[in-house]
Amino acid sequence: MCRQFVLLCREIGLIAGGMVAVDGSRFKAVNTRDKNYTPGAIRLRKEQVDASITQYLGMLDTADRQEDQVAEMRIGRLTKRLEALRRQMRELQAMERAVADAPDHQVSLTDPDARAMATNGKGTGMVGYNVQAVVDAQHHLIIAHEVTNVGHDRSQLANMARQAREVTGADGLTAVTSPARKLWPARPPASHQSFPSL
């Protein structure tokens, strides 16, 4: 539907090509961070479970030294909690194998296509999608878009400019992007790049 709209706009002269703006936005997925697994997240969760097991074992030792009825009830509760923690550790170990087998070493349970993406703050990443859009500079119409699960914009500029060139039919195209977008390390930081015809 979008492609047909762009072609119609091109036919009536609303899309001239020449210059476009490219930018990306992140959209949060239904998948929560707790249902997204990466090697780092699994390592942290296993450390937390290990610490809890150690704590409960210490409490169990203390309860074993006591000889009243309250201690027996406490031992029963602690034993149940320890078993739950050990079950959780086994589940984490199974998930660790699944993450290692995944092509991008990441598994999202609720929304399998969503991926963890870093944000500016430490520990404030989100699970979602990166939506790239190309806008015609003259009439501000979206002429190309793509939803990706790559968490950064660095590798998206050339692809989106190529798509824009295809829909506009322009021989050459200047893609304007935010100076904050980090381009490839081999290129000087710039907010304009020209993409001649292939």
Side-chain angles (χ1 to χ4, degrees):
M1 184 63 133
C2 182
R3 189 167 191 83
Q4 292 172 343
F5 173 75
V6 171
L7 292 175
L8 174 68
C9 289
R10 184 174 153 192
E11 284 178 23
I12 60 175
L14 291 177
I15 298 175
M19 183 176 280
V20 295
V22 181
D23 203 3
S25 297
R26 293 184 188 143
F27 288 84
K28 189 174 181 181
V30 175
N31 207 95
T32 65
R33 285 177 43 185
D34 290 341
K35 297 289 184 178
N36 178 267
Y37 294 89
T38 62
I42 289 175
R43 181 182 42 79
L44 287 174
R45 291 176 191 178
K46 284 174 69 176
E47 288 171 4
Q48 291 169 344
V49 171
D50 261 343
S52 293
I53 287 173
T54 302
Q55 180 183 4
Y56 280 116
L57 285 173
M59 293 166 71
L60 196 58
D61 283 345
T62 302
D64 277 344
R65 285 187 237 124
Q66 299 170 349
E67 294 185 15
D68 59 359
Q69 198 171 20
V70 174
E72 285 181 35
M73 289 175 25
R74 192 167 177 221
I75 289 171
R77 279 196 323 264
L78 291 172
T79 304
K80 286 180 186 177
R81 289 182 184 169
L82 270 171
E83 184 51 43
L85 286 168
R86 288 181 177 135
R87 186 175 41 256
Q88 188 177 359
M89 183 62 82
R90 287 190 297 272
E91 290 168 1
L92 285 170
Q93 289 166 342
M95 184 56 70
E96 189 172 37
R97 289 187 292 277
V99 167
D101 292 342
D104 60 350
H105 301 294
Q106 195 169 150
V107 173
S108 291
L109 297 179
T110 309
D111 188 348
D113 293 328
R115 290 294 173 259
M117 299 180 186
T119 56
N120 292 336
K122 182 179 168 89
T124 61
M126 64 177 267
V127 178
Y129 299 94
N130 184 350
V131 178
Q132 296 290 310
V134 181
V135 177
D136 176 71
Q138 186 177 1
H139 294 286
H140 310 286
L141 297 170
I142 295 174
I143 59 172
H145 65 279
E146 186 172 311
V147 178
T148 178
N149 56 19
V150 176
H152 56 79
D153 292 340
R154 289 186 298 271
S155 60
Q156 302 300 316
L157 180 60
N159 174 43
M160 296 310 297
R162 210 174 291 110
Q163 288 183 37
R165 186 175 50 216
E166 287 173 12
V167 296
T168 62
D171 288 334
L173 184 73
T174 299
V176 179
T177 186
S178 165
R181 181 185 287 236
K182 295 195 174 26
L183 301 174
W184 302 272
R187 297 184 183 186
S191 59
H192 293 71
Q193 288 201 16
S194 292
F195 293 88
S197 59
L198 297 172

